[in-house]
Amino acid sequence: MNKLWYLSQISIFEEMSREEIREIDQLDTIHHFNWITKNTLVQTPESTREGLYFVKEGKLRLYKLNDSGKQFTLGILTRGNIFGELNSFSFGTRRFYIETMESSLLCTMSEPQFERLMINRPQLALKFLKALSDRLKKREDQLEQFALHGLRKRVLHLLSTLSAKFGVIQDGYALIDLPLSHQEIANMIGASREAISGVMSELAKEGVVKTSRLSVQLAVTILEENIPRNSTH
C-alpha cells in the first residue's frame, strides 16, 4: 500500500486529482499509525492528542462521562472523519474520550504540517470548515432531541440517524452495520439500559425494529419519516 493510495482514500481529499495528491504527499504532511485494536482508548480528557487525526479505516466512539460515571456517546467517527486539536483549529474533541469500536487505522498531521498544507492548498480549508460545521450541526440536533422529546422519540431518532449512515437495506428494513446492545443505545442517549430495553421491546412488538444479538434493523418507513431523502451519510 503506497502513501498516495492512502491519501486518495481519505474523504477530505477525495475531490482532488492524483497530481494534487502527489504534491501533498511531497509536503510530507501525513503520517500513518499502525492498526489500533478494538476497545482501545485513543484519547481521554486528561490525555488529549495534539494534531489532526484522520480515520483511515475502522470506527471510533466519541463519548463523555457524567457525574455518576454513566457514558454518554456524542458521535461515531468512521472512515474519512477527522478529530483533533490545534492552537489554530479545533474539532471540539479536547474533553472527550475516544475509543475504537473495531480495529482502526489513523493518520495524523501536526500543526506546522497543517499550516503548510493550508498555505499550499487553501481550497482544503473550505473542506475543513465544512467538516467542522457538519459536526456542530449534528451536535445541535442531538441536544435538541434530548431537550424536546421523550425517550421513545429519542431512540427512534438515534436509530434513524445510525441507519442513514450505517444502514444496509434488506426486505424493508435498514440493518445497522454496528454492534448495538441495549447498553450501547443507552450510552448514546444518556438513558438506563432497563429503560431502553422497555422501549425496544415495544418497538419490536410493533414491527418498527427487528433485533438479535448486537444487531438492530429499523423499518425503512420509519427511517424515511425521520431522515430526509437528500440527507448525506
Side-chain angles (χ1 to χ4, degrees):
M1 299 291 186
N2 62 53
K3 193 173 180 181
L4 287 179
W5 185 87
Y6 274 122
L7 287 173
S8 69
Q9 300 303 305
I10 297 174
S11 64
I12 201 164
F13 302 121
E14 64 187 0
E15 297 177 6
M16 303 185 72
S17 70
R18 186 170 180 84
E19 289 71 27
E20 289 174 319
I21 291 174
R22 185 176 287 108
E23 289 182 29
I24 292 174
D25 181 47
Q26 291 171 352
L27 292 173
D28 193 29
T29 55
I30 303 290
H31 298 281
H32 303 117
F33 282 100
N34 293 323
W35 285 89
I36 302 173
T37 57
K38 180 180 178 180
N39 297 330
T40 298
L41 274 174
V42 175
Q43 174 184 292
T44 70
E46 294 77 29
S47 63
T48 299
R49 289 177 176 266
E50 295 299 325
L52 291 183
Y53 292 79
F54 303 83
V55 182
K56 172 61 188 68
E57 296 289 349
K59 297 182 180 71
L60 299 94
R61 186 164 64 96
L62 183 71
Y63 69 93
K64 295 189 74 172
L65 298 178
N66 65 16
D67 292 340
S68 61
K70 185 183 293 293
Q71 294 182 4
F72 176 52
T73 300
L74 292 169
I76 296 173
L77 306 174
T78 59
R79 181 176 178 172
N81 286 161
I82 307 167
F83 67 93
E85 305 294 326
L86 304 174
N87 289 328
S88 58
F89 199 95
S90 171
F91 277 91
T93 57
R94 184 178 298 277
R95 296 183 299 279
F96 302 117
Y97 292 88
I98 300 177
E99 182 178 16
T100 54
M101 301 178 69
E102 61 187 41
S103 183
S104 301
L105 179 64
L106 302 182
C107 306
T108 185
M109 182 186 301
S110 70
E111 184 156 17
Q113 291 165 337
F114 175 74
E115 291 175 350
R116 274 197 297 151
L117 181 58
M118 293 301 99
I119 291 171
N120 283 273
R121 291 292 166 189
Q123 73 272 26
L124 280 182
L126 295 176
K127 291 189 177 184
F128 276 92
L129 289 173
K130 183 180 185 305
L132 180 58
S133 176
D134 289 346
R135 176 86 50 87
L136 294 174
K137 178 63 166 61
K138 288 176 182 177
R139 191 166 296 175
E140 288 174 3
D141 290 344
Q142 190 177 39
L143 292 173
E144 181 180 349
Q145 288 294 320
F146 293 152
L148 300 180
H149 300 294
L151 185 58
R152 177 188 170 100
K153 182 67 175 178
R154 286 156 54 194
V155 169
L156 287 174
H157 183 268
L158 171 66
L159 296 180
S160 296
T161 300
L162 295 177
S163 295
K165 187 170 185 180
F166 305 110
V168 179
I169 305 300
Q170 299 176 346
D171 301 323
Y173 284 81
L175 172 63
I176 300 172
D177 186 23
L178 285 174
L180 275 183
S181 65
H182 288 183
Q183 183 62 62
E184 183 59 38
I185 294 172
N187 292 346
M188 290 184 179
I189 58 178
S192 69
R193 183 189 60 79
E194 293 77 12
I196 295 299
S197 295
V199 171
M200 292 296 290
S201 178
E202 291 177 4
L203 294 175
K205 289 177 181 177
E206 297 168 13
V208 172
V209 300
K210 293 181 179 180
T211 62
S212 58
R213 186 175 181 274
L214 299 182
S215 172
V216 176
Q217 299 180 61
L218 178 69
V220 171
T221 52
I222 301 299
L223 171 60
E224 292 174 347
E225 288 176 8
N226 286 275
I227 304 294
R229 288 182 179 274
N230 61 356
S231 174
T232 57
H233 285 211

